Every structure is written in C-alpha cells, then in structure tokens.
Amino acid sequence: MIIALIYASIFVIAFIAVRLVSRLMTARKDFTSLKTVTFGDESAVSPDRAATVISVLGIFLIWGAFTGSAIAPIHVPGPFIGDTSFTYTARNPDGQRDRADVAIRVHVVGEDVEAPELAGGDEGFAKNDSAKVAAWRSGLVRVRRNDEGGREDGYEVVQVNGQSIAPGESVAVDDGTVSMTAKGTLSFEPEKGWQMEKIWLPAPEDVWSRLVEIASDGYRNFTLIEHLGWSLIRVIAGFALGSLVGIPLGYAMGLSNFFRGWFDPIVEFMRPVPPLALIPLVIIWFGIDETGKIILLFLAALWIMTIASRAGVSGVNITKIHAAYSLGASKWQIMRHVIVPNSLPEIFTGARVAMGVCWGTVVAAELVAAEKGAGQMIVAASKFQLTDIVIMGIILIGIIGYGIDILMRRAERFLVPWKGRS
C-alpha cells in the first residue's frame, strides 16, 4: 500500500511537471493553433517519452529505496541494527520480585557476532542476561537460564520495562517488541523498518550481478541465451499455431451463421478457462516433452485470436461493403479488398494480447518437466529461494515480451497504415 501511494505521488508530480514544461516549450501563436483533433483519436496519441523515462526511473527509485540499494539517493527506514536493551521483572515462589537487564545485539543476517558482555546485576535472584538476534528475525531470550529459580518452582517473569506481561502478550520496548511465549519465555523482535530483506526483494545491483554471472557461467548446465531462446521458440511456435487455426476460424464465425452457431459455444466456453487449468490434461494427452508445452501455448493463443478475428470481421463498416457491391465487386473481391483490410487492426490487437498471454503462460508450460527455458530457470531458483534469479528471469521475460510488442506495433503501422482512419 505504501509503495502504491509513493508511485502514485511520483505519477502526479511527474504529470504536472511534464505538462508545465510542455506548455512553456510550446509556442502559442493564435487561438486556432490551440485547437486539437486528437481527443478521442487513439491513432493520434503517442507515448510521451519524458513520462516513460520518469516512470522507469520512478520504479527503480522505489525499488532501490525499499531495498537499501546503493543506486538510490534516498532510502526508507531500514531494520534496526546495533545494541539495545530492556528490563524485566521476575517473581519467585515467595512472591518476591527482582529486576534485571537484558542486552540485545541485533546484527545483519549471516554475520557471526558475539552477544554483548554482561555487567553487574548479580545481587538478586534475577540476573542480567544478553542475547543476539538477526535483523528481520526474532529470538528467544531465556532469562531463566541464569536466574535463581525455575518454572516448575513457580518462578516467572511478570513485567518488561515496568509493564505487565503474560503468555501471549507483547510489550513495545526501545528498538523492538518483547513477547512472551505460551511457556513463559521472552522473545525479542527488533524493529523491521520499511526495507525489504534480500530473501524477499534483493536490490537492483544484486539482480544485475546475478545477471552478469549467469550470462557468463550459465545456469543449470545451460547458458542464459539457451534458456531465453527455448522459451522464445516455444512461445512463437504456440502463437503461430494458434494464429493459423484461430484466424480462419474467426473469419468463418464472422461470415457464416452456421459456423458462428457451431463454434460459438466452444469458443465462449474455453475462452475463460485459464491455461494453467489445462496442464494436467496436456500432460495426460500429449506427454511431458516439447509437444505438450507447445500445445498449452497454442491453446492460450487460439481463443484470443479467434475472438479477435471474429470481432474484426463483424466490425467492418457495412457502408463500405455496400459501396463495393455497388461498384460491381464480387464476394471474393469484397473479402480481399474490404473485409480483410478492415479486420486487420482488430487481429493485430488480438495478436498482441495473445503474445502477452503466451509469455505469461510459458512459465507454467515449462513446469512440465522442462530442462531449459526462462520459466524453468525461475521455477528452479524459487525452490532454493534465489529471489535474485527469479526477479532477473521475470525482468528478462518482460523485456523480451515488450520488445516483441514493439515489433508487432511497428509491423502493424507498416502493414495496416489505414488503422484509425475511416
């Protein structure tokens, strides 16, 4: 929630700043020059490069701020690391009370440190104690180990920093929280701050270091190019098969009442079924080799391409068809020169969506006994909690998917220059 609010704040500030700069840099000549016809015309709207740069930098800024990254100029409060202490009050079987101090040393995860040295506090039956706890963790403080008394004798801790405490309760102390377990043992949890632990979210430079390492040394007996290449081959193969079947099927459903009635229940039934739900059937029917993976991606693209083609055909302006008929065009000429060109924008939109879904499905497809692939690399790394590899794989899949989308948009502008024009 906090990250979302920060990103929203960056968006608002950037939007206002870009608008102000754009207005200052745009020359105003007369009232006519201020008029625009771009409102509501998607083809006239293009990405603002300044907004793109700020958005990407904002994401990395937030990422670095919440991971303590060296590349981030500012950081959110991190976990407490250092020495702290609290006082506890014990009661013996006779009802007498005694107070002692506990010194805590909070250290970085993985560091080998010694607990703080004890000083004094040996006069009563409650003795000073010390312990060490890793940041983002909690640790038991067994104060009864060196106190004079035991639980079986009726000895118990009743207060922490002067506040009453009982099993299941907690007391806030300096730099953390002290809780009491069901058996009466104290547990200290240092303040975690807002920064994420590396096991949950590594810093950007850690992910980059892992990328450089895997790019040079490979991962699980395959190079990074091989992992990404096999995922790309599977996605392209599944998408191509889905398009080869889906586009003709969509045209048939858009042009024929019989085909529409026959296939519409099947398409509408399968469209909301997620590809993940089909994995067991794919394994049973097609095995665990490459065929099963490609079939799963084929099914992910098929229904999207079918619906996009059907929508493209159904959305052709009827006046254009009437005009072609009035000029003496045959059905084949209308199909070639009117229906196909006017349905291509919708098909390209569906293709971009289908490719995105295929990329999102490739991880699941490579769960099926794959030895190589970006998805397999992510799944294998997750089993060993190698979050940096998981994030690296996700970023690479996103970058490649974004690159493919850019290529498809460029192809659309080249092949369908009439998009957005009546």
Side-chain angles (χ1 to χ4, degrees):
M1 185 63 181
I2 295 175
I3 296 177
L5 290 175
I6 294 175
Y7 185 78
S9 302
I10 294 176
F11 170 80
V12 172
I13 295 172
F15 180 80
I16 296 173
V18 171
R19 284 303 179 111
L20 289 176
V21 172
S22 299
R23 288 186 179 182
L24 293 174
M25 295 178 63
T26 303
R28 296 188 178 186
K29 297 179 180 180
D30 52 23
F31 178 78
T32 304
S33 65
L34 300 178
K35 292 183 179 180
T36 177
V37 294
T38 61
F39 185 77
D41 182 7
E42 182 191 2
S43 62
V45 178
S46 59
D48 189 317
R49 297 306 176 191
T52 300
V53 173
I54 296 173
S55 174
V56 174
L57 290 178
I59 292 173
F60 275 91
L61 175 65
I62 295 173
W63 183 7
F66 278 86
T67 55
S69 171
I71 68 173
I74 56 175
H75 297 147
V76 299
F80 171 77
I81 296 177
D83 292 346
T84 186
S85 63
F86 65 89
T87 301
Y88 73 94
T89 302
R91 183 173 60 196
N92 64 12
D94 299 329
Q96 296 175 329
R97 296 192 176 196
D98 192 19
R99 181 178 297 177
D101 297 326
V102 177
I104 303 290
R105 177 161 295 164
V106 183
H107 60 90
V108 178
V109 177
E111 276 190 356
D112 186 14
V113 300
E114 298 292 335
E117 295 183 1
L118 302 178
D122 295 332
E123 294 79 9
F125 60 85
K127 311 295 183 182
N128 289 347
D129 206 344
S130 65
K132 58 180 181 179
V133 180
W136 288 293
R137 304 289 192 271
S138 62
L140 296 177
V141 184
R142 303 181 186 277
V143 296
R144 289 186 300 213
R145 288 180 303 182
N146 60 352
D147 288 357
E148 297 177 1
R151 182 185 178 193
E152 62 280 357
D153 301 324
Y155 173 93
E156 59 182 348
V157 177
V158 294
Q159 289 183 339
V160 170
N161 278 6
Q163 301 182 46
S164 298
I165 190 170
E169 296 181 351
S170 301
V171 173
V173 299
D174 294 339
D175 308 313
T177 303
V178 176
S179 304
M180 180 175 284
T181 67
K183 294 184 177 181
T185 304
L186 297 182
S187 174
F188 178 76
E189 181 180 1
E191 290 183 353
K192 296 181 179 180
W194 290 358
Q195 290 186 17
M196 302 288 288
E197 189 179 355
K198 285 188 176 183
I199 194 173
W200 307 120
L201 182 64
E205 59 265 29
D206 295 333
V207 177
W208 173 257
S209 299
R210 182 67 77 169
L211 172 61
V212 173
E213 175 189 339
I214 293 179
S216 59
D217 301 334
Y219 184 70
R220 295 178 68 88
N221 302 322
F222 293 99
T223 65
L224 181 61
I225 298 300
E226 287 178 317
H227 282 296
L228 298 177
W230 274 99
S231 293
L232 186 60
I233 290 172
R234 290 163 182 153
V235 168
I236 292 177
F239 170 76
L241 289 176
S243 300
L244 287 175
V245 177
I247 293 176
L249 179 59
Y251 270 96
M253 293 176 65
L255 296 172
S256 169
N257 292 334
F258 179 80
F259 277 92
R260 182 69 170 264
W262 187 274
F263 289 105
D264 195 64
I266 300 174
V267 173
E268 293 301 333
F269 176 81
M270 292 300 299
R271 179 180 60 85
V273 177
L276 295 178
L278 302 175
I279 290 180
L281 285 178
V282 169
I283 295 175
I284 294 172
W285 291 346
F286 302 100
I288 60 175
D289 57 2
E290 292 299 323
T291 303
K293 302 174 185 61
I294 294 175
I295 289 295
L296 186 64
L297 295 172
F298 158 75
L299 294 174
L302 173 62
W303 316 118
I304 298 175
M305 295 306 299
T306 301
I307 293 173
S309 302
R310 186 187 68 187
V313 174
S314 302
V316 175
N317 195 332
I318 191 64
T319 57
K320 296 181 179 181
I321 298 177
H322 289 165
Y325 271 127
S326 66
L327 294 173
S330 64
K331 288 185 177 181
W332 169 247
Q333 289 174 323
I334 291 175
M335 181 71 179
R336 178 182 175 186
H337 297 289
V338 180
I339 294 178
V340 171
N342 284 275
S343 62
L344 282 179
E346 200 74 43
I347 293 176
F348 267 99
T349 300
R352 290 170 57 189
V353 174
M355 181 61 75
V357 172
C358 285
W359 267 113
T361 309
V362 71
V363 176
E366 291 172 348
L367 283 172
V368 187
E371 295 183 354
K372 46 190 175 293
Q376 191 277 337
M377 183 172 60
I378 291 173
V379 173
S382 67
K383 295 178 181 178
F384 300 97
Q385 294 186 327
L386 299 175
T387 316
D388 48 359
I389 297 181
V390 174
I391 294 178
M392 180 201 72
I394 292 172
I395 292 175
L396 290 176
I397 288 177
I399 291 175
I400 295 175
Y402 183 53
I404 292 175
D405 187 73
I406 291 176
L407 292 176
M408 294 182 71
R409 278 187 282 178
R410 291 184 179 275
E412 182 181 16
R413 283 198 295 267
F414 177 76
L415 298 174
V416 193
W418 55 87
K419 180 182 179 181
R421 304 174 186 176
S422 298

